[in-house]
Amino acid sequence: MASSSCFLLAALLALVASQAIASDPSPLQDFCVADKHSPVRVNGFVCKDPMTVNADDFFKAAMLDKPRNTMMSKVGSNVTLINVMQIPGLNTLGISLARIDYAPLGENPPHTHPRATEILTVLEGTLYVGFVTSNPDNKLFAKVLKKGDVFVFPQGLIHFQFNPIYNKPAVAIAALSSQNPGVITIANAVFGSKPPISDDVLAKAFQVEKGTIDWLQAQFWENNHY
């Protein structure tokens, strides 16, 4: 009987722990507006004095209504992210938003969000999107999306979006399950790290000559998140 109770307790604790680390911490009050000027460092941001909170802490004017410039981007996309850094009222609420503009044949290159699941809907145009599962399967799940279609990218998995139309731009809106989802663009991280990863390491990993790695590391790896 005692062993059965211990097992039940362990299972309950595991369930609670899994929920606790599944996403951003749940709020313990109506809101916790980020005090970005506080010298105190916590996981997230310290709460602003609620007596000084006003509607502007939950508001950002006209951030997502206008097309963004994609011509300056090598990959042909521009990501406009609305997270806790733009709206301090998002602190502890576990959500953020992004607008992604794609030039004709532009892409949001393979990347991952370490702290968030993403759900994306196409507002205009066509997108080829997909994600790849973790080792050992590395299975690709991909679809061609039209206006109004929705696709989900699970947390932490490498994913991408590509506009396959040569003469029309595309626009999408994405919601993410974190106030600060983070982004790791794979090519930038691997070939554009500072200081660079040893070309011996990368040549072995990618099974290519070191000269190929040196050429890749010499490229300008641009950030398309603004």
Side-chain angles (χ1 to χ4, degrees):
M1 188 71 175
S3 62
S4 177
S5 298
C6 288
F7 176 78
L8 186 60
L9 178 60
L12 179 60
L13 288 172
L15 178 61
V16 171
S18 69
Q19 292 300 310
I21 63 174
S23 61
D24 290 358
S26 298
L28 299 177
Q29 57 275 319
D30 288 346
F31 53 76
C32 173
V33 173
D35 182 354
K36 291 183 282 188
H37 303 293
S38 172
V40 179
R41 294 290 176 261
V42 296
N43 184 25
F45 290 97
V46 173
C47 299
K48 186 177 178 180
D49 182 348
M51 297 303 294
T52 66
V53 170
N54 59 58
D56 285 339
D57 290 315
F58 303 91
F59 171 78
K60 194 72 176 178
M63 280 289 290
L64 303 179
D65 60 324
K66 297 179 178 64
R68 301 292 169 168
N69 184 359
T70 58
M71 295 298 102
M72 301 298 292
S73 167
K74 283 187 173 183
V75 295
S77 67
N78 187 318
V79 180
T80 306
L81 180 63
I82 305 295
N83 63 11
V84 69
M85 300 308 295
Q86 287 77 39
I87 302 180
L90 285 173
N91 192 40
T92 77
L93 298 186
I95 192 168
S96 55
L97 192 68
R99 171 182 172 134
I100 309 103
D101 289 89
Y102 311 84
L105 302 180
E107 71 171 8
N108 191 11
H111 62 282
T112 177
H113 301 293
R115 295 180 290 275
T117 292
E118 176 180 348
I119 183 167
L120 176 142
T121 184
V122 178
L123 299 184
E124 296 291 342
T126 300
L127 290 176
Y128 170 62
V129 308
F131 66 85
V132 179
T133 62
S134 55
N135 298 350
D137 294 337
N138 300 133
K139 183 175 180 180
L140 172 65
F141 290 86
K143 292 283 287 185
V144 174
L145 306 183
K146 303 292 186 180
K147 182 177 179 179
D149 290 345
V150 177
F151 198 81
V152 174
F153 306 106
Q155 180 174 341
L157 296 187
I158 294 172
H159 59 283
F160 62 87
Q161 303 106 36
F162 172 69
N163 178 7
I165 308 302
Y166 77 94
N167 61 351
K168 290 184 180 179
V171 183
I173 289 285
L176 301 108
S177 62
S178 172
Q179 68 182 43
N180 186 24
V183 61
I184 302 170
T185 304
I186 306 307
N188 297 36
V190 173
F191 299 113
S193 68
K194 300 177 182 61
I197 300 171
S198 165
D199 56 5
D200 289 314
V201 172
L202 295 181
K204 187 76 169 179
F206 287 95
Q207 296 293 288
V208 297
E209 297 295 327
K210 286 205 295 182
T212 302
I213 298 299
D214 294 338
W215 182 85
L216 287 167
Q217 290 181 322
Q219 305 311 301
F220 174 69
W221 295 100
E222 181 183 78
N223 175 29
N224 68 331
H225 288 64
Y226 302 98

